[in-house]
Amino acid sequence: MFLKKYFEAFEIGELRKTIGRTITETDIVLHAGQSGDFFPHHMDEEWCKTQPFKKRIAHGTLIFSVAIGLTAQVINEVSITYGYERLRFTRPVFIGDTITVSVTIKTKGDHKKPAYGLVTELVEVFNQHKELVMVCEHLLLVEKETI
């Protein structure tokens, strides 16, 4: 779906939520192959039994990628990702966990180019137990409708 949502239309506190996505062993194996991260925390079930979590955990970068992908339901033709800040992985995600994402408009501000504004979205990722597993801020460069 395409739309044009200009800077002025974003409201602080505006919230949107995603559908769920279950993390599978296939996700972890494919991500290891794509990223080159074959650390035993992700790949070695027997070794993980000797560690505090007792089972394999998903890569943080996998959870980030899937979570951001879940938020990409609408294409805003007058907005582009400017970056991400304050990324934290607050709890492990295991094979079989289902994540959902909540996105809240946190701040709006000016940009050095007067035709654009910066919108900061708070991105919070939760597991099926409603526990926070990842958080970050997504910065958007958004065209202004009026200058």
Side-chain angles (χ1 to χ4, degrees):
M1 178 177 163
F2 290 86
L3 64 79
K4 289 186 180 182
K5 184 173 181 179
Y6 292 94
F7 177 77
E8 294 85 352
F10 285 86
E11 294 183 26
I12 305 296
E14 181 181 331
L15 171 69
R16 71 182 194 278
K17 294 184 177 191
T18 72
I19 62 171
R21 166 77 155 67
T22 301
I23 302 302
T24 67
E25 180 174 17
T26 301
D27 293 323
I28 292 172
V29 172
L30 286 173
H31 190 77
Q34 292 170 335
S35 66
D37 181 349
F38 291 95
F39 274 32
H41 307 79
H42 315 302
M43 305 304 293
D44 187 336
E45 186 73 29
E46 293 304 310
W47 180 82
C48 286
K49 289 177 182 176
T50 70
Q51 300 303 304
F53 296 125
K54 304 297 181 198
K55 53 187 171 179
R56 292 163 56 195
I57 60 175
H59 303 75
T61 50
L62 169 62
I63 300 309
F64 175 77
S65 297
V66 170
I68 297 307
L70 285 170
T71 69
Q73 300 157 344
V74 175
I75 298 168
N76 184 357
E77 297 180 45
V78 295
S79 173
I80 192 165
T81 294
Y82 197 65
Y84 293 89
E85 294 183 342
R86 296 178 178 81
L87 175 62
R88 297 290 180 268
F89 303 108
T90 57
R91 294 181 86 84
V93 175
F94 302 106
I95 295 169
D97 281 354
T98 299
I99 61 171
T100 57
V101 186
S102 293
V103 180
T104 307
I105 304 303
K106 184 176 175 182
T107 63
K108 290 173 61 174
D110 292 327
H111 185 264
K112 61 186 174 187
K113 296 180 181 178
Y116 294 90
L118 282 175
V119 173
T120 302
E121 297 178 323
L122 176 64
V123 178
E124 297 173 297
V125 182
F126 298 92
N127 65 18
Q128 69 275 16
H129 305 294
K130 302 198 182 338
E131 298 167 322
L132 184 70
V133 298
M134 191 200 92
V135 63
C136 70
E137 293 180 355
H138 178 206
L139 306 178
L140 294 168
L141 184 62
V142 185
E143 190 177 325
K144 291 182 179 177
E145 191 168 24
T146 57
I147 304 176

